[in-house]
Amino acid sequence: GNWSALATWDGGASLPDVGDDVYANGKTVTIDQNVTVLSLRTTVGAPAVAGGNFSVATSGRTITADLYAGTSSCVTISASSSTCTINGTIYGSSTTNNVYAVNITGTPVALTINGNVNGGTLAGATGAYGVYSNVNATTLNVTGNLTANIAPAVYLASTNAAATVTGNLV
């Protein structure tokens, strides 16, 4: 369901708030407003199951949260000619290969990240990137450090993609 719909969340009592760790819990949640929470996760958490996804389908969204990829990509950005800002630390999967904290699909995206980006840590999972894009003309601006673990922090598959990093490459 939509982020803004009470029915999407734990019995419909309230929307997630600043201090909340938010699990996709095997579902797809469409981020249809700006979001500020402690974290977004597709990892296992009591009582949440792994999997699911947070989807950004409209341009101009700001997500203020740390992002943790589990058994599925955490945030997918698919809005046409989209701009999106993420304020927080990004972690590639530590459990599954070819799973990304941020997965850019479909059309050109301008993504700004204010925070560190970390590649995944699972042995042999060289494709568990923090940020992945196979989209032509993706523009990525990171103010923070990029840390390669087992997997690189960022992978831009298109030759027409560009990245600017203000920080350290670790």
Side-chain angles (χ1 to χ4, degrees):
N2 287 333
W3 185 281
S4 64
L6 285 176
T8 302
W9 306 106
D10 197 22
S14 64
L15 298 178
D17 202 358
V18 173
D20 292 332
D21 289 311
V22 182
Y23 294 82
N25 198 20
K27 299 179 175 37
T28 297
V29 177
T30 301
I31 295 177
D32 62 345
Q33 65 183 48
N34 293 339
V35 169
T36 300
V37 294
L38 191 59
S39 68
L40 298 179
R41 298 169 179 260
T42 57
T43 58
V44 172
V49 299
N53 180 266
F54 297 94
S55 174
V56 178
T58 55
S59 187
R61 296 288 170 238
T62 297
I63 299 168
T64 301
D66 293 341
L67 308 182
Y68 294 86
T71 59
S72 59
S73 294
C74 187
V75 172
T76 299
I77 302 171
S78 62
S80 179
S81 299
S82 179
T83 60
C84 185
T85 300
I86 299 171
N87 300 311
T89 301
I90 294 173
Y91 299 92
S93 180
S94 62
T95 60
T96 307
N97 198 25
N98 299 321
V99 168
Y100 324 113
V102 178
N103 185 17
I104 300 170
T105 65
T107 62
V109 169
L111 175 60
T112 299
I113 298 171
N114 298 306
N116 298 326
V117 181
N118 300 283
T121 58
L122 177 67
T126 57
Y129 311 113
V131 176
Y132 173 80
S133 174
N134 66 355
V135 176
N136 195 18
T138 293
T139 302
L140 175 64
N141 294 298
V142 178
T143 301
N145 298 326
L146 301 184
T147 301
N149 290 302
I150 301 299
V154 173
Y155 185 82
L156 304 176
S158 171
T159 57
N160 291 330
T164 302
V165 178
T166 304
N168 296 310
L169 305 176
V170 182

